[in-house]
Amino acid sequence: MEIQNKATSLWGNFFNVKMVQIRTFHMTWFAFFSCFFAWFGIAPLMIIVRDELQLTKSQVGWSIIASVAVTVFARFFIGWLCDRIGPRLSYTYLLIFGAFPVAGIGLADSFETFLFFRLLIGIIGAAFVITQYHTTVMFAPNVVGTANATSAGWGNLGGGVTQFAMPMVFSVFVVGFGFSEAVGWRLSMMVVGAVIFVVGIAYYFLTQDAPEGNYKELREQGKLPPKKSVTADYFRAMADYRVWILFLIYGACFGIELTVNNVAALYFYDYFDLSLVAAGGVAASFGLMNIFARTLGGIFGDNFGALWGLKGRSFWLFIVLLGEGCALMVFSQMQVLFLALPMLIIFSLFTQMAEGATYSVVPFINKKALGAVAGVVGAGGNAGAVAAGFLFKGAMDWPDVFFVIGVTVACASVLAFFVRFSEAQEEEEKANFEAASLDALRVRAERANAALAQSVAVVEQWNAQHPEAPKS
């Protein structure tokens, strides 16, 4: 059984929050934005934390790994949870309980306690899976790639905003209120924890699981499979080799974005001699590309799907992954800021388009276990970040690390050709795509007919009131 009444248009109804699909879309991206902001809120303040806690290069590397390591397991679990209790409750629980370690990191007074809280904060990174799950449930095949990419991209934007916003919040406490730097970074994280707690409460009241209602009611009506079938479908999906290929591919794009979010401010501070605020501002340019770059990946994924079916989506994924790897290799060789910054932006563009392209494919792998597929693939992003994190904690210079990662990503792009679909599924999804497009065209036609009727009425009224006037 498949969810019914999915929205066939995103941009056409973008501000119509009375539609549950659109209201949910806005809540998903904002909730993910909040989580991403909190997840990497400490990254631009690491310069202060490193000095206060006297962290070594190796310890900084371990904190980078910790921030993304636990998310791998959290994403596996949250996908199963979404299928079982629905995305609404899953997101609510994640936000409310995740707020405590975010605020709690302010209690850290040693490397060990800092590492502990940094590890726990990584749990909120599972928010991505719920975001993609919820928009997939709400939107039809003709726009699902765009909806997924936009909600995730605007959520990832939190990783860019935090690079300059957190130093500003920190400055308010230190300069504005006169707190010490040690107290300032702690209070900054406590504020962020309070914000995501409130967002969790809002998510519960402003969304629902599916267009027709919540999963509990839909199961009672026989419109969804029972809970007991969720686990079996989960393991069936995990046996599909395409899920694991996408796991690796997502590690090569989102995993690298996570890594860059963690190290960018330190990289520009150490290798380009920038100040704390300037390094954060330059690093922010990478994350800020999410405002449109990931959406482009989804839009082109939908367009390639319209032209060449599901294999077209896979081919587009290959193109952007290859572009990402090549751009990162070039960026790693830049030694002056005016060359490094534009290459960082180009690298960011391809990275985030690759993420959008990946999740324009994910909804079509296994519809009966959407949470499983979204969770496993999402976990791949964090697994990639963990692998890259080990390179940054070693003896290799960071520009060389970036070059090695670029070569790896370029090689990984070939994996996209192995994400294949049967002829029967190609035909089925083509029919579903056309049906969704037909609904969207019908809505446009109704609007056009209404506008035409209104124009005809105005002309007829004018002619009736002015019979002597020449007729056009």
Side-chain angles (χ1 to χ4, degrees), residues 50 56-65 68 255-268 270-271 328 331-332 347 384-406:
R50 180 177 63 179
T56 65
K57 180 182 179 181
S58 177
Q59 288 174 332
V60 171
W62 278 115
S63 72
I64 293 171
I65 293 168
V68 293
I256 306 310
E257 179 180 358
L258 291 179
T259 303
V260 173
N261 281 332
N262 260 324
V263 305
L266 280 174
Y267 181 72
F268 283 102
D270 290 340
Y271 287 86
L328 180 53
F331 168 73
S332 71
F347 159 57
V386 170
F390 278 103
L391 294 176
F392 281 97
K393 75 176 286 292
M396 190 183 302
D397 288 339
W398 284 14
D400 295 334
V401 172
F402 280 129
F403 186 82
V404 170
I405 293 174

Side-chain angles (χ1 to χ4, degrees), residues 22-101:
I22 299 299
R23 187 169 67 252
T24 298
F25 167 82
H26 287 298
M27 280 304 301
T28 56
W29 78 255
F30 184 73
F32 188 38
F33 176 95
S34 303
C35 285
F36 221 97
F37 190 101
W39 191 7
F40 292 98
I42 198 64
L45 303 180
M46 278 299 296
I47 298 165
I48 306 299
V49 176
R50 180 177 63 179
D51 292 342
E52 187 208 334
L53 300 181
Q54 298 181 336
L55 303 180
T56 65
K57 180 182 179 181
S58 177
Q59 288 174 332
V60 171
W62 278 115
S63 72
I64 293 171
I65 293 168
S67 68
V68 293
V70 74
T71 318
V72 177
F73 305 102
R75 289 187 172 186
F76 275 109
F77 172 74
I78 209 73
W80 172 85
L81 191 66
C82 283
D83 281 332
R84 190 168 178 86
I85 69 172
R88 171 174 163 263
L89 288 177
S90 298
Y91 227 144
T92 299
Y93 293 150
L94 183 68
L95 286 161
I96 290 177
F97 291 115
F100 290 96

Side-chain angles (χ1 to χ4, degrees), residues 22 95 106 108 119 149 204 238 307 355 363 400 418 444 448 457:
I22 299 299
L95 286 161
L119 186 73
Y204 178 84
M238 290 183 69
L307 293 172
E355 295 162 10
D400 295 334
F418 294 93
R444 293 176 190 171

Side-chain angles (χ1 to χ4, degrees), residues 84-363:
R84 190 168 178 86
I85 69 172
R88 171 174 163 263
L89 288 177
S90 298
Y91 227 144
T92 299
Y93 293 150
L94 183 68
L95 286 161
I96 290 177
F97 291 115
F100 290 96
V102 172
I105 199 171
L107 302 175
D109 57 0
S110 66
F111 166 65
E112 290 76 18
T113 53
F114 180 80
L115 186 68
F116 174 73
F117 282 109
R118 196 75 183 98
L119 186 73
L120 289 183
I121 288 174
I123 293 173
I124 63 175
F128 166 76
V129 175
I130 314 175
T131 298
Q132 299 298 269
Y133 186 104
H134 217 168
T135 47
T136 297
V137 167
M138 290 290 180
F139 290 89
N142 64 318
V143 292
V144 69
T146 303
N148 280 353
T150 305
S151 61
W154 289 2
N156 285 3
L157 191 62
V161 173
T162 196
Q163 297 287 350
F164 65 82
M166 285 303 286
M168 292 174 62
V169 174
F170 169 79
S171 297
V172 168
F173 284 115
V174 174
V175 178
F177 293 100
F179 291 106
S180 67
E181 291 186 345
V183 174
W185 74 261
R186 288 172 164 83
L187 290 176
S188 299
M189 291 302 295
M190 290 179 181
V191 168
V192 177
V195 169
I196 66 170
F197 185 90
V198 173
V199 174
I201 296 173
Y203 206 91
Y204 178 84
F205 289 104
L206 296 178
T207 69
Q208 64 186 43
D209 289 324
E212 294 181 286
N214 292 314
Y215 277 14
K216 182 179 180 181
E217 291 78 23
L218 293 178
R219 285 196 168 100
E220 290 173 352
Q221 298 167 15
K223 294 182 178 180
L224 280 181
K227 282 185 179 182
K228 62 182 180 182
S229 67
V230 169
T231 302
D233 289 337
Y234 185 93
F235 285 107
R236 194 174 297 115
M238 290 183 69
D240 190 334
Y241 78 95
R242 297 172 300 175
V243 175
W244 296 102
I245 290 177
L246 290 172
F247 174 94
L248 295 173
I249 286 175
Y250 203 57
C253 51
F254 186 65
I256 306 310
E257 179 180 358
L258 291 179
T259 303
V260 173
N261 281 332
N262 260 324
V263 305
L266 280 174
Y267 181 72
F268 283 102
Y269 181 84
D270 290 340
Y271 287 86
F272 292 88
D273 297 323
L274 299 182
S275 67
L276 170 66
V277 175
V282 172
S285 64
F286 179 83
L288 290 175
M289 292 291 288
N290 274 295
I291 198 168
F292 69 91
R294 187 158 182 159
T295 298
L296 283 180
I299 290 173
F300 278 103
D302 286 338
N303 288 337
F304 271 65
L307 293 172
W308 297 294
L310 297 179
K311 61 180 176 290
R313 294 177 184 267
S314 298
F315 182 65
W316 167 241
L317 180 54
F318 159 75
I319 293 173
V320 285
L321 268 178
L322 181 61
E324 175 196 343
C326 294
L328 180 53
M329 284 187 278
V330 176
F331 168 73
S332 71
Q333 303 305 301
M334 298 296 100
Q335 298 178 355
V336 291
L337 186 63
F338 81 91
L339 293 177
L341 183 56
M343 281 312 306
L344 178 70
I345 292 173
I346 293 171
F347 159 57
S348 177
L349 174 66
F350 278 104
T351 301
Q352 290 151 23
M353 284 198 298
E355 295 162 10
T358 303
Y359 272 82
S360 76
V361 175
V362 163

